[in-house]
Amino acid sequence: MRKPLLAFLAALPLAALAAPSKAVTLDVRNMTCPLCPITVKKSLEKVAGVSSVQIDFDHKMATVIYDPDKANLVALTQATTNAGYPSTLHK
């Protein structure tokens, strides 16, 4: 009984066992020029587990898709803060 179970688990793609991606929107301060969103996006993309970053310069927000097994809100906000753009969870 154990061998078929192990064979089944081994045949599953790793993505099937991973946690689903999570999306979060951050309010980002200090974005004042057209180059600021590039810096914010690059800082977030360097966080392990981040798969997508969309910046809304007009509303000063960043939407991030990430793997919650590899990244978390603290890591994301720390990345933008370290780049000079403090951020908080958008409410």
Side-chain angles (χ1 to χ4, degrees):
M1 178 71 178
R2 192 170 188 183
K3 283 186 179 182
L5 178 61
L6 289 175
F8 172 75
L9 290 175
L12 285 176
L14 291 179
L17 300 175
S21 295
K22 187 171 182 180
V24 66
T25 300
L26 305 174
D27 290 318
V28 184
R29 296 192 308 261
N30 299 343
M31 285 199 297
T32 58
C33 74
L35 295 178
C36 295
I38 296 168
T39 304
V40 172
K41 184 173 182 168
K42 286 184 178 188
S43 71
L44 289 166
E45 289 174 337
K46 289 180 182 177
V47 176
V50 170
S51 59
S52 174
V53 178
Q54 296 295 319
I55 304 294
D56 182 342
F57 177 67
D58 293 333
H59 293 101
K60 312 294 189 241
M61 293 188 304
T63 301
V64 184
I65 308 294
Y66 66 97
D67 179 345
D69 289 338
K70 297 179 182 176
N72 58 43
L73 182 60
V74 172
L76 300 174
T77 58
Q78 189 66 48
T80 64
T81 299
N82 289 346
Y85 303 89
S87 65
T88 55
L89 180 63
H90 177 73
K91 295 184 182 187

